[in-house]
Structures are given as structure tokens and as C-alpha cells.
Amino acid sequence: MNHVLAPADSASLIRREVAGLPGYDPGADPDEVAALSGARRVIKLSNNESPFGVSPAVAEAVRLGLADGVSRYPDPTGRRLAEAIGKSLDVPAGRVVLGNGSENILELLCQAVLDPGELVVTQAPGFSLHETFPRVMGARVEKVPVTAGFGFDADAWREALAAGPKLVFLANPCNPTGAMLDAGQLEQIVAATPRSALLVLDEAYGEFARTDPEYPDGLEALRALDRPWIVLRTFSKAYGLAGVRVGYGIASDTALIQALDRVRTPYNVNRPAQDAAIAALGDHEHLADTVRRTRLEIARVTDRLRGAGLRVVPSSTNFLFIDTGRRSDGVARELHRAGIIVKAWREPGYENYIRASLSTPEDNDVFVRCLTEICAKDKP
Ligand SMILES: *Cc1c(COP(=O)(O)O)cnc(C)c1O
């Protein structure tokens, strides 16, 4: 057998839109950081995961499902999970779509809705996939900047929405800033969005914000509208299920769900993910506990970093967007050497920022100490 690989050049096969895409940046590899730092335990603050784990009911549900066998395909409709979600939110199960993470639904929406050259409006700084998936379809992406104080720029949004987008991706709260829109601001976006556009409200961090009376529950805000919308949520963040990949959307109407069903791979949500999500959804106490502990840490760490002179954006999520006062890729490298992984932000204008999700109080203390030490050195 000849194991020598002949050099093949597939570059000419690749669509122009795909060849020009930036790769997704998942953050540094924990094994590499462990090797670099010699740390026994790496503190991973780069992916907005929950440090508080999952409901104990999840392990049991997955175990029972696995005992039942994995030789059969999962339910392609995810009926039990869709019904449980529908019941918890008072919407018909036929208006619920499930995804292999809510990222999968972002992708399906682009596939179902976007023609080449059409316009998508989203925010900057923002979530990279809100730009990547539209670009795969050949759509144009217009990113509305936040104000200098990381607030909502009503005029800029109005102007961008007046250009006639087909799709609007709005994350509330926003990743990476952690800031949220209040009810009045969301209402302004809804009012300015053309009726011919699909409004996608990405509430990946909604569970953390919902205890704030100023936070508008997207489903309640959009429910009564007679125009196309979809609210996206996920089990990856507050529910702690990032590893099994399951998210969902609640849509304005069943026709949108049926279109997504036509483009999705039929078994997109695996059996353990469906079982895990049903169990997680039923444990209100674990969710409330995670949200409560997260909010305490967000408030505490924000205070400590500000006390050390760092600028920190007020966060309604489980992560902080922090101005390090110098190029943040260098700061991230120094943190790696201490066994801590954060994301150095790369969007133009934000190269001094890191995004760090919080962990347990002990780990957060290590993070605060290392970061403030790094930022106190040779202050620019
Ligand atoms: C994390 C995240 C998601 C979704 O993650 P999944 O794990 O795919 O459910 C979606 N949108 C934003 C803004 C996120 O930060």
C-alpha cells in the first residue's frame, strides 16, 4: 500500500464566499495552556460555560436513555422536548424548532431565508456567527456599532434597518459586551425593522438577565406581533449543557418552522441531548441557583476590577468585557502562562478588550489577581 499522499489542490473548488471567511476562534486549547503554564488545573474563562454544572437530573436522564440503546436514531422531531418547551412557555410545540446548539438554528435561518446579495443587519462588537453564516450564503452584513459607552445607538440602528435587510440578528443581552437592551430600546428596533424582514432575537444569555426588571423577555415582547420573528435560546449557557449541543427557537408561525425543517439535517439533535434538555428544563431550582451565583460573582468581580482601575462594561450575562488598556492578545498570552484562558477580542476598535466568563469564586479570585497584576505592570 502506498501511504504517500499526493498533493492535491482543492482551492479552486471552494466558493468565493467560503474562501474569504475568517475561521471561528474558539480560544486557546486547554491542553496547550496546561503544558505552557504547568498548571495542574487550567481555569477556562473563554467560552461562557457554566462553572456550576448541570442539574443532577440530567445525568440520570442521559444514563437511562443510553441504557435504552443508542442503535436507534433519535426522534427527528424532538417531540417530547419541543412539547416540554412549548408547555413551559405557553406556545404550541409546532412553533418550536430544535437545533444542535442554537448556532445550528442561526445557520438554518440563513439557509432558509437568504439569497446572495441580500442584507443582514447585526451589531458590532458582536457574535461572529451572526456574520459568518450570512456570508456563507453570499449575503452582505451591515454591523451597527454600539455607542462609546457600549449603549444602544438608536439612530445608527434606524438608519441600518431603513436599508431594507432580509434578516436582523439581535443578541440581547449582547455577546461580547454583556450589555442588555431595555424594553424601550427593543421596542425601537422592532418598530424600525421592515415588516418584510425576519427579526431574530438571540437570547443565549437571557436566563441571566431575566431576574433584572429592566430586561424585556423577548418572547413576551414579540408574541403578539403579526410579522415574522424568532426568539433563540440555548441549554449551553445557564443550563450548563454546552457539551451536548442543544438549543431552540420559538417562531412567529409554523411556516417558518417548516422551512427550517426542510433545510436541517433530519437528526440534528442527538438522543442524549434531547434527554438532557428535558431533564434540565424541569429543574427550576438548579437554574435559579446558577443564575443567582453567577450574578453575585459578576457584581463582585466587576467591583474588584473597577477598584483596580480597569474599565468593565456592566454585564447582564455570565461574562465580562474588560478594557485592559493595552493590546489584549499580549494580556491573554500572559494569562495563559498563569493557566488562565480568556478571549482576546479582535474586532477593530476593541483590540484592548478581553472577554472573560466567570467561574467559581476561588477561580475568579485567581483571575482577578493575575489580571490586575498584568495590567499594573508598565502601565502605558
Ligand atoms: C453561546 C451563544 C450562542 C449559542 O450557543 P449554542 O451552544 O450553539 O446554543 C448563540 N448566540 C450567542 C450570542 C452566544 O453567545
Side-chain angles (χ1 to χ4, degrees), residues 95 161 165 168 186-200 221-230 251-253 256:
R95 280 171 51 194
L161 292 170
V168 179
L186 177 60
E187 173 53 36
Q188 287 182 59
I189 287 189
V190 171
T193 300
R195 298 180 61 87
S196 53
L198 174 62
L199 178 60
V200 182
L222 303 183
R223 207 185 258 281
L225 295 180
D226 59 345
R227 44 183 283 179
W229 54 264
I230 185 165
S252 50
D253 56 275
L256 181 56

Side-chain angles (χ1 to χ4, degrees), residues 7-44:
D9 185 5
S10 53
S12 61
L13 301 176
I14 308 302
R15 291 170 53 228
R16 192 160 38 86
E17 292 84 355
V18 174
L21 288 176
Y24 181 76
D25 169 22
D29 177 65
D31 290 338
E32 280 173 23
V33 170
L36 178 76
S37 63
R40 261 180 295 116
R41 198 172 54 84
V42 165
I43 299 178
K44 184 165 173 260

Side-chain angles (χ1 to χ4, degrees), residues 224-308:
L225 295 180
D226 59 345
R227 44 183 283 179
W229 54 264
I230 185 165
V231 174
L232 302 183
R233 292 177 182 171
T234 179
F235 288 97
S236 297
K237 308 286 162 58
Y239 289 97
L241 280 174
V244 298
R245 315 302 302 122
V246 53
Y248 62 97
I250 308 106
S252 50
D253 56 275
T254 51
L256 181 56
I257 302 291
Q258 284 159 9
L260 299 176
D261 280 344
R262 266 179 242 133
V263 291
R264 73 182 168 89
T265 182
Y267 303 102
N268 63 332
V269 183
N270 67 63
R271 171 75 187 270
Q274 293 187 28
D275 292 339
I278 292 168
L281 195 63
D283 191 342
H284 304 281
E285 219 168 291
H286 184 267
L287 178 68
D289 191 52
T290 297
V291 169
R292 185 183 57 75
R293 294 163 80 179
T294 302
R295 291 193 66 117
L296 281 173
E297 281 304 286
I298 286 283
R300 190 179 71 87
V301 173
T302 299
D303 278 353
R304 286 197 54 193
L305 292 174
R306 284 182 179 161

Side-chain angles (χ1 to χ4, degrees), residues 52-96:
F52 304 119
V54 294
S55 158
V58 166
E60 179 63 6
V62 171
R63 195 183 60 75
L64 287 174
L66 292 176
D68 203 26
V70 285
S71 352
R72 307 283 180 193
Y73 283 100
D75 175 2
T77 65
R79 187 180 49 82
R80 284 177 54 234
L81 176 55
E83 281 175 358
I85 291 166
K87 191 155 170 253
S88 75
L89 299 172
D90 191 26
V91 289
R95 280 171 51 194
V96 176

